[in-house]
Amino acid sequence: MFTVHPLVILFSFTGAVSYLFAIDRKRRVLKDLWFYLFLFLLIAAANPLVSHNGVTPLFFLNGQAVTLESLLYGVVLAFMLSAVLAWFGSFNRVVTSEKILFLLGKVSPKLSIVLSSALRFLPLLRRKAGEIRSAGKAVGLYASESWWGRVRSGLSAVSALVTWSLEQAVETGVSMKARGFRLKGRTHFSAFRFSGKDLAVLIFILAADAIVFTALGTGSLQFAFYPRIALEAPGVLAVISLAALLLLFLLPAVLEIGENIKWRYYRRKI
Amino acid sequence: MKKNILFLVILIAVVIAALVFGVRIQSVEDYYLEHLEDVQPDSRTVTMSIRCDTALENREKLDPALQTEKFLPKDGIVLKTTEYVLREGDSVFSLLERAAKHEKIQFEFKGTGKNGGTAYVEGISYLYEFSCGPLSGWMYRVNGKFPGVGCSEYFPEDGDVIEWVYSCDLGHDVGDDWQGE
């Protein structure tokens, strides 16, 4: 259930990056991509240095072949990792704690509350630390020139932060109890509704998945870089599953861009 | 800004590593330009062969990418039994390296195999460790026995018969009984 087919990885990368551009501001996405490029180059350069298999040696480094195959394999692996990073980046932007609560709330309310508060905790802590630091600066905490003075300022800021987070935890617990958390007969409210459109998308995703997993299971999407890059014409099943994968990967971006166009159109009419 | 500094640090580290460890770049022609001494009546020699019969016997386990005759010789012979002149300080590894260069056989190893460094042969002629099941890899025999030391640590003597054999079962299928029965 694993493939390094270059087309699959290219489709995945294209889908992930176009979705990132659809949901976020261009400058922030470009900042992310800049970091991916750095990782990309690192991986693409590292693979030919550690893997010397392949029928096309380009040159020999300390008695080991640096081959075209391992170079291309490195590039494909780099694309794969960048695609994974981009997908997780979009996951972080799209799946908010509200959605996690909605999805897991009925299965396990405990797990979902732990998950969402844990996910919320770190950014909250960071924001509070910044607040405490600026407040400390305002009352002259970090003014001392000496090393020990600065350490003491930092320690008092940390102590304030710990106190605050403990208090916050207790307050959260009390507040949840007051609102009737885990009482019997409690109902949920969520803004999500399962519409006919959702059903259509779900059926499409399941159908595409079925095709892709069939192709993976029968080995139609196998691709070998070593010892020689297999440039064979793909079979019928491989072509169908590649098309399904392309649609699957582009689906989020297409839906998002379609909604954006609709939104702009409606706004113009107001 | 931070990323630039990180990049710079890595670049400097790479340059220093290159200077310290020494990087030797050879063109493909240079690499395969290997001179072998002619066998004289009084020269000390060993014979060496490389065979992969077990990979042929276990074709169903073999990596599909290697299932062509180009990568898997039909008779299992990668290098037929050949006589090589023994040089001063020759290990089994240095003999393999010399033969592979001369015959233009692809091979990959881990380690250095020179100046006291050890070497582990990962693959010969595109046939790698784990290419034919999880217990497969290259082993060597000297005069029919498996020495049980690394190939860069074994120094053959005049008249030794060295056989590189591919095993698909940790040596059991080529006659190594290091684990007993």
Side-chain angles (χ1 to χ4, degrees):
Chain A
M1 288 298 160
F2 179 79
T3 178
V4 285
H5 200 293
L7 278 178
V8 172
I9 285 157
L10 191 69
F11 290 167
S12 173
F13 182 78
T14 316
V17 170
S18 49
Y19 186 50
L20 271 184
F21 274 113
I23 57 172
D24 207 344
R25 259 168 286 156
K26 213 185 246 171
R27 274 190 59 181
R28 279 180 60 186
V29 178
L30 285 176
K31 216 172 131 192
D32 274 16
L33 288 181
W34 180 244
F35 174 66
Y36 297 164
L37 182 76
F38 170 72
L39 247 162
F40 186 97
L41 291 177
L42 202 70
I43 294 166
N47 193 56
L49 294 181
V50 295
S51 174
H52 309 285
N53 203 345
V55 290
T56 326
L58 300 172
F59 59 92
F60 281 80
L61 190 74
N62 289 351
Q64 300 261 46
V66 173
T67 64
L68 182 67
E69 282 79 9
S70 66
L71 195 69
L72 291 176
Y73 192 37
V75 169
V76 169
L77 285 181
F79 262 116
M80 179 157 75
L81 200 80
S82 316
V84 169
L85 284 174
W87 281 122
F88 270 104
S90 60
F91 181 87
N92 274 338
R93 285 169 170 86
V94 168
V95 182
T96 54
S97 66
E98 188 191 8
K99 286 174 185 167
I100 293 176
L101 270 178
F102 171 67
L103 282 173
L104 293 175
K106 274 178 196 147
V107 185
S108 164
K110 261 188 193 163
L111 177 71
S112 63
I113 209 83
V114 165
L115 256 180
S116 65
S117 47
L119 287 177
R120 186 165 167 271
F121 185 66
L122 271 181
L124 212 62
L125 201 70
R126 237 160 77 185
R127 206 166 64 205
K128 195 71 193 175
E131 275 172 24
I132 290 171
R133 198 177 308 121
S134 44
K137 261 185 196 157
V139 298
L141 257 188
Y142 294 87
S144 169
E145 286 281 308
S146 78
W147 176 81
W148 177 239
R150 263 179 294 162
V151 167
R152 261 176 47 187
S153 310
L155 278 178
S156 71
V158 167
S159 142
L161 188 65
V162 170
T163 315
W164 169 82
S165 62
L166 287 175
E167 197 184 325
Q168 174 82 6
V170 173
E171 248 173 38
T172 309
V174 170
S175 159
M176 275 162 64
K177 204 172 175 191
R179 287 166 205 214
F181 179 66
R182 299 202 66 201
L183 275 184
K184 253 193 183 167
R186 190 173 138 269
T187 55
H188 295 268
F189 170 76
S190 59
F192 308 111
R193 214 156 39 80
F194 197 79
S195 63
K197 201 178 158 192
D198 291 319
L199 185 69
V201 172
L202 183 67
I203 287 171
F204 169 75
I205 289 174
L206 287 178
D209 276 352
I211 295 171
V212 171
F213 278 108
T214 315
L216 280 174
T218 54
S220 303
L221 280 178
Q222 282 296 333
F223 192 89
F225 280 89
Y226 298 138
R228 188 176 43 189
I229 292 173
L231 281 176
E232 292 154 18
V236 181
L237 187 58
V239 170
I240 293 171
S241 62
L242 280 174
L245 268 172
L246 183 61
L247 291 175
L248 202 58
F249 287 140
L250 286 179
L251 182 71
V254 167
L255 287 179
E256 189 69 28
I257 291 167
E259 291 293 318
N260 278 347
I261 290 169
K262 221 155 107 186
W263 171 246
R264 258 180 232 159
Y265 173 73
Y266 285 146
R267 253 192 15 183
R268 232 180 25 202
K269 275 174 78 175
I270 296 170
Chain B
M1 215 31 229
K2 242 178 204 167
K3 278 167 204 156
N4 287 349
I5 291 168
L6 190 68
F7 187 72
L8 215 72
V9 166
I10 288 173
L11 197 75
I12 291 168
V14 166
V15 169
I16 289 173
L19 289 176
V20 171
F21 296 112
V23 171
R24 194 162 44 91
I25 295 175
Q26 290 170 293
S27 74
V28 179
E29 293 82 26
D30 274 355
Y31 176 79
Y32 283 124
L33 212 66
E34 182 68 33
H35 168 73
L36 289 185
E37 299 89 339
D38 295 326
V39 178
Q40 307 285 341
D42 60 337
S43 52
R44 301 166 68 235
T45 61
V46 293
T47 62
M48 188 160 70
S49 63
I50 305 173
R51 300 184 65 103
C52 60
D53 305 79
T54 57
L56 286 164
E57 288 158 17
N58 297 288
R59 277 196 93 126
E60 72 285 350
K61 280 198 282 178
L62 190 66
D63 180 4
L66 295 169
Q67 299 274 12
T68 65
E69 211 172 293
K70 187 168 181 272
F71 299 124
L72 193 70
K74 221 196 289 181
D75 49 6
I77 298 173
V78 178
L79 175 73
K80 65 180 194 307
T81 309
T82 318
E83 202 170 8
Y84 290 97
V85 175
L86 205 57
R87 288 182 196 167
E88 196 64 40
D90 253 347
S91 64
V92 173
F93 174 75
S94 64
L95 275 162
L96 172 68
E97 190 178 29
R98 204 188 308 153
K101 277 185 185 178
H102 188 254
E103 306 292 332
K104 293 189 171 51
I105 297 169
Q106 185 266 353
F107 93 114
E108 181 177 346
F109 58 95
K110 269 203 177 84
T112 56
K114 289 186 199 80
N115 308 327
T118 56
Y120 167 68
V121 175
E122 288 175 273
I124 302 176
S125 181
Y126 311 112
L127 189 60
Y128 273 64
E129 53 173 347
F130 315 130
S131 282
C132 194
L135 303 178
S136 59
W138 284 99
M139 305 178 78
Y140 72 99
R141 264 196 299 245
V142 179
N143 300 328
K145 279 198 188 117
F146 290 89
V149 295
C151 60
S152 56
E153 304 288 300
Y154 192 92
F155 304 96
E157 282 158 18
D158 189 19
D160 276 352
V161 177
I162 302 167
E163 295 162 280
W164 280 93
V165 286
Y166 192 74
S167 169
C168 298
D169 189 22
L170 276 180
H172 293 306
D173 52 350
V174 288
D176 188 11
D177 52 0
W178 58 278
Q179 278 183 321
E181 280 310 308

